[in-house]
Amino acid sequence: MSKFKKDKVLPRYLTIAVLLTLIGVAVVFKAGYTMTAKKSYWETVANKLKSDSDSVRPNRGNILSCDGQLLASSIPEYKIFMDYQAGGNSDTAWVRKRDSIWYADLDSLCRGLSVIFPGRSADEFKARLEEGKHKVLSNGSVGARHWAVWPRRISYNTYREVQQLPFFNLPTHKGGFHAEKFEARRRPFGSLAERTIGDIRSFEGGKDTARFGIELSYDSILRGKCGIERKQKVLNKVVPFTVTPPVDGSDIVTTIDVGMQDLAEQALIEGLKKWDASMGVTILMEVKTGDVKAIVNMRRSDNGEYYERFNDAISYRCEPGSVFKVASFLVALDDGVVDTSYVIHTGCGIMKMHGANMKDHNWHRGGYGDINVARALEVSSNIGVSYVIDNFYGSNPTKYVEGLYRVGIGQDLKLPIVGYLPPKIRMPDTKTTNKALYWSKTTLPWMSIGYETQIAPINTVTFYNAIANNGRMMRPRFVKGFMKDGQMVYETQPEVIKEQIAKPQTIATMQTVLRHVVSQGLGKKAGSHSFQVSGKTGTAQVAKAGGYKTGTVEYWLSFCGYFPSDDPRYTCIVCIKKSGLPASGGLMSGGIFHHISEGVMAKSLKLSVEDARDSLSVFVPEVKKGDNAAASYVLNTLGVKGGTDDAEQPVYGEKQMPSVVGMGARDAVYCLESRGVKARIHGTGHVKRQDIAPGTALSRGMVCNLELN
């Protein structure tokens, strides 16, 4: 073991300790020197070298129709500004150069702006720009930092034009010209289904907010996710680079059919104008899937024109009127308390019910007398429906109301569209102090015919759609799926709310009754000569100001049905609101329904070629003699046999004169000259006679005269 040499090791440790101490003192001295003497220098460097992170907005997704047509899309819009202090505000070489360029280019700049924006002259632009340049800010500096060049938003193409003007074409950090980007929503089909598609509103700073409809309900899917962009500033250069790329929003494929939507909208507007109505709603739904193919909401404005202002189809709860009678009788039939042959004594059209008069619409003509349940629906007898419900459910009205919920007329559809209001069908309650909720003896009979309830049109059409669908109730579907880069990434499925709203035999009975309502009842105007229609009319009085007796009475007229009756494809409801008489749901709403149903069926009609053929004509076309290669190809492609008569003619060799009788001039000349025979044509049409007999031996220089007729 070696002996520790103290005299050699300790001096080495001492040397190292002294050296480290000197280094530490030097570091502290340098730090202090930097913090004091060099403070201003390093602050200047820090200001020239800084990193900022900005949010990068994604592209908002499009909204498409069921067949891929564009219903709503985003386009950029810009507001343009000037920063008169860009590049600094002190007396530097660049600032002096910038000001000299400004005054040199100002006149040409203003002329260019006047050309792009004809609404303002060059002198007005010059005064506006000079005002911003000499504006004194609160901090004492001269020159506005965010001075609007033009007060309104401009398109991208216009922005690019402005950007090319003198001085404005300088870099932003030098010249000061800059813009704020906004996202504008555009609908190629204008106001078509406006309240259902929705809209967005852009605010200052480029922020956009969805307002209503699908735009609002699916805002998170359409919006996407913002990215992060970092701008690295080194001296006078700004270098942007993406930290997190933005994720663009998904496209939404709706169930709306543009053709059906346009058809329904035009039919409704024409009907509203014809009957001087103030409001109208139409919903067209596909029976098997519940897909909403068209939804129209129109209200009359002060100028007399009709516009979509509210989504009344899903939010306007009102007393539905006689279309509700179907639900009342469906409950009674399903409970087995009556059948369609049950006879009701309606008398002269007026019946006392708990001290109040129940009237049929034809009471002044003597009423309907004795009618059965089926006929009561066909003629929409108030007495017929209310008598049955009051007679069999008067002692237990809760059972009736529970039946309404069972058949689905009171179902909360839980629609994804913002603004939907579920039905209000109240349960019997005689203890409440709220007059609107109090259950009196007259409540049940009047509720049975569509009063004292609040139901939006979307619930009524969904209920009728379930009857058309053999009892299966489908949730109304507005969105079919979501697309990304042209590929469907998620597809919604038709959703069943109730597998069976009533017994199958009850549904079948009601289907028959609804068919008779149109074929031999009050719904004849909704029918068609081309296919059968099933449905029910509705006319309800709606009190305006002052109540039913003292105020103005308006009418809520409706027709709800489906078509074609034997194999239902679509269910449709038409509601209109008007003041004064005449007022008839069958005539007015039913007439609009008629135009919509026939238009929809005509669009989907596929005719066979057999339907276009005259039964007296010859189906096999006649093909003249000649070069029949092309004609044979066409006939074979079409699957037509026969048609040519070449087989009946004798075949001549290449050295013999062929027969060209019956050919057209072109084929005849080609046939002869291909064998070395010169043809001379006399007349027009087809060859009637040739002066060289067929089969004659051909010789050089032979000339054949052809007589055409």
Side-chain angles (χ1 to χ4, degrees):
M1 184 174 181
S2 61
K3 186 177 180 180
F4 178 73
K5 297 179 180 181
K6 184 178 180 180
D7 56 339
K8 292 183 178 181
V9 174
L10 289 178
R12 295 175 183 173
Y13 279 117
L14 182 60
T15 303
I16 294 173
V18 171
L19 183 61
L20 292 176
T21 301
L22 293 175
I23 293 174
V25 171
V27 170
V28 173
F29 176 79
K30 183 64 175 179
Y33 179 76
T34 302
M35 294 172 62
T36 55
K38 290 290 186 179
K39 179 181 178 181
S40 59
Y41 170 78
W42 288 112
E43 283 181 345
T44 304
V45 173
N47 290 331
K48 292 183 178 180
L49 177 61
K50 62 180 181 179
S51 176
D52 294 326
S53 295
D54 293 330
S55 176
V56 182
R57 298 179 61 200
N59 294 318
R60 189 175 180 87
N62 300 320
I63 299 179
L64 310 172
S65 66
C66 63
D67 56 353
Q69 297 190 67
L70 200 60
L71 296 178
S73 182
S74 295
I75 62 171
E77 288 186 342
Y78 300 84
K79 287 194 72 173
I80 52 178
F81 303 91
M82 267 297 296
D83 178 5
Y84 291 96
Q85 297 186 33
N89 205 26
S90 57
D91 188 14
T92 62
W94 163 247
V95 171
R96 291 192 294 271
K97 181 179 179 181
R98 180 195 66 190
D99 291 342
S100 64
I101 297 175
W102 167 261
Y103 287 111
D105 294 340
L106 182 59
D107 290 337
S108 57
L109 169 63
C110 294
R111 286 194 296 269
L113 288 172
S114 182
V115 171
I116 298 174
F117 306 108
R120 185 175 291 179
S121 66
D123 290 338
E124 289 174 324
F125 272 113
K126 186 174 182 179
R128 171 69 181 171
L129 294 176
E130 286 284 15
E131 180 185 355
K133 184 169 180 59
H134 297 99
K135 183 178 179 64
V136 180
L137 305 184
S138 57
N139 59 4
S141 60
V142 179
R145 303 304 305 268
H146 198 61
W147 190 254
V149 177
W150 182 249
R152 293 184 293 275
R153 297 180 191 175
I154 60 177
S155 66
Y156 175 76
N157 291 335
T158 304
Y159 168 63
R160 293 293 297 168
E161 285 186 58
V162 175
Q163 207 174 26
Q164 303 302 318
L165 294 176
F167 196 83
F168 282 1
N169 56 10
L170 295 175
T172 299
H173 64 280
K174 288 188 175 183
F177 174 73
H178 61 283
E180 281 187 3
K181 183 180 178 181
F182 295 84
E183 188 176 71
R185 206 64 165 164
R186 290 292 180 266
R187 292 186 296 270
F189 291 98
S191 62
L192 208 68
E194 178 181 3
R195 298 305 300 187
T196 302
I197 296 171
D199 195 11
I200 62 173
R201 177 181 291 169
S202 295
F203 296 92
E204 298 300 324
K207 182 180 179 181
D208 62 272
T209 302
R211 300 174 59 194
F212 48 80
I214 292 174
E215 294 277 15
L216 178 58
S217 301
Y218 295 90
D219 183 54
S220 60
I221 296 173
L222 289 164
R223 184 180 296 276
K225 295 182 180 179
C226 292
I228 299 176
E229 182 182 75
R230 182 161 295 168
K231 295 180 179 179
Q232 194 75 24
K233 185 176 181 181
V234 181
L235 298 178
N236 288 327
K237 293 185 179 180
V238 178
V239 181
F241 63 93
T242 301
V243 178
T244 303
V247 179
D248 291 340
S250 298
D251 296 338
I252 290 183
V253 181
T254 69
T255 59
I256 300 295
D257 183 286
V258 172
M260 295 182 184
Q261 177 72 30
D262 183 58
L263 172 68
E265 185 173 306
Q266 295 302 320
L268 180 62
I269 292 176
E270 289 177 7
L272 294 175
K273 290 181 177 179
K274 179 179 180 180
W275 302 113
D276 192 28
S278 60
M279 172 183 169
V281 168
T282 292
I283 307 172
L284 182 67
M285 180 183 292
E286 198 170 60
V287 170
K288 301 301 181 184
T289 63
D291 287 358
V292 177
K293 311 304 290 184
I295 177 169
V296 187
N297 308 272
M298 290 293 167
R299 289 197 182 194
R300 184 169 55 195
S301 64
D302 294 337
N303 63 3
E305 297 298 322
Y306 293 90
Y307 304 98
E308 287 208 355
R309 292 292 179 262
F310 303 93
N311 203 338
D312 296 310
I314 67 173
S315 63
Y316 188 77
R317 291 187 300 198
C318 65
E319 295 173 320
S322 296
V323 291
F324 192 83
K325 295 174 182 176
V326 174
S328 295
F329 266 170
L330 191 66
V331 172
L333 292 170
D334 201 49
D335 287 342
V337 298
V338 294
D339 58 22
T340 53
S341 63
Y342 180 83
V343 177
I344 308 159
H345 306 287
T346 66
C348 62
I350 303 177
M351 179 179 288
K352 281 284 185 182
M353 286 194 171
H354 307 289
N357 285 330
M358 176 68 71
K359 296 181 179 180
D360 279 338
H361 67 91
N362 70 334
W363 65 271
H364 56 284
R365 295 196 298 268
Y368 288 110
D370 293 346
I371 56 175
N372 59 26
V373 167
R375 186 59 180 168
L377 271 186
E378 291 175 11
V379 297
S380 196
S381 171
N382 293 332
I383 296 175
V385 177
S386 59
Y387 175 81
V388 168
I389 300 303
D390 188 63
N391 187 41
F392 290 99
Y393 294 95
S395 60
N396 187 12
T398 301
K399 182 180 179 181
Y400 166 73
V401 178
E402 289 175 346
L404 293 178
Y405 282 98
R406 185 181 72 244
V407 300
I409 190 66
Q411 182 75 34
D412 184 354
L413 301 177
K414 299 184 181 343
L415 298 183
I417 306 299
V418 175
Y420 166 69
L421 296 177
K424 292 176 66 176
I425 302 177
R426 54 198 170 98
M427 282 289 183
D429 186 0
T430 58
K431 297 180 180 180
T432 180
T433 57
N434 188 342
K435 292 183 179 180
L437 300 178
Y438 183 79
W439 189 277
S440 66
K441 290 184 178 181
T442 59
T443 299
L444 183 62
W446 261 260
M447 177 184 282
S448 68
I449 61 172
Y451 290 94
E452 303 204 25
T453 59
Q454 300 290 316
I455 300 178
I458 189 69
N459 284 87
T460 304
V461 75
T462 301
F463 168 70
Y464 275 76
N465 192 75
I467 296 175
N469 201 23
N470 297 321
R472 174 180 285 189
M473 178 172 281
M474 308 299 297
R475 192 183 309 279
R477 186 169 67 150
F478 292 87
V479 173
K480 295 182 69 175
F482 311 129
M483 292 182 65
K484 197 78 170 179
D485 300 325
Q487 300 295 324
M488 189 73 76
V489 295
Y490 178 78
E491 188 170 356
T492 62
Q493 299 299 322
E495 184 178 352
V496 180
I497 302 176
K498 286 180 175 289
E499 193 63 44
Q500 200 70 33
I501 65 171
K503 299 181 184 71
Q505 59 269 29
T506 305
I507 295 295
T509 299
M510 187 56 69
Q511 288 174 341
T512 301
V513 173
L514 292 180
R515 184 185 298 115
H516 290 166
V517 170
V518 177
S519 62
Q520 56 196 38
L522 297 182
K524 291 181 180 179
K525 288 293 182 180
S528 171
H529 296 296
S530 304
F531 51 88
Q532 282 190 322
V533 174
S534 300
K536 180 69 181 73
T537 63
T539 303
Q541 292 184 8
V542 182
K544 204 174 180 182
Y548 289 103
K549 295 182 179 180
T550 59
T552 302
V553 176
E554 292 187 317
Y555 293 90
W556 182 253
L557 313 174
S558 54
F559 183 90
C560 190
Y562 53 87
F563 57 93
S565 298
D566 52 349
D567 184 20
R569 296 174 59 186
Y570 300 100
T571 305
C572 181
I573 187 171
V574 177
C575 304
I576 64 175
K577 187 178 181 181
K578 71 181 297 290
S579 299
L581 297 172
S584 168
L587 172 65
M588 299 173 182
S589 296
I592 299 173
F593 181 100
H594 166 80
H595 291 302
I596 294 174
S597 61
E598 289 218 325
V600 169
M601 292 300 291
K603 285 180 177 293
S604 59
L605 189 63
K606 295 182 179 180
L607 297 176
S608 171
V609 68
E610 295 291 335
D611 299 330
R613 182 171 65 88
D614 185 356
S615 60
L616 301 178
S617 66
V618 179
F619 184 67
V620 178
E622 180 183 359
V623 181
K624 298 299 182 180
K625 293 183 295 183
D627 184 10
N628 293 326
S632 299
Y633 172 77
V634 173
L635 294 176
N636 291 335
T637 303
L638 295 175
V640 179
K641 297 181 179 180
T644 62
D645 54 0
D646 287 347
E648 301 176 1
Q649 303 297 328
V651 179
Y652 299 100
E654 293 185 0
K655 300 296 184 181
Q656 295 178 303
M657 173 65 69
S659 174
V660 294
V661 175
M663 294 185 184
R666 182 176 180 179
D667 285 341
V669 171
Y670 172 80
C671 184
L672 293 177
E673 293 189 350
S674 64
R675 303 194 183 195
V677 179
K678 187 175 181 180
R680 291 180 179 173
I681 299 175
H682 305 280
T684 58
H686 294 86
V687 177
K688 179 181 180 181
R689 188 175 61 85
Q690 60 185 80
D691 62 354
I692 300 179
T696 303
L698 299 179
S699 59
R700 189 174 182 179
M702 185 175 287
V703 177
C704 181
N705 293 292
L706 304 178
E707 183 180 343
L708 277 61
N709 183 15

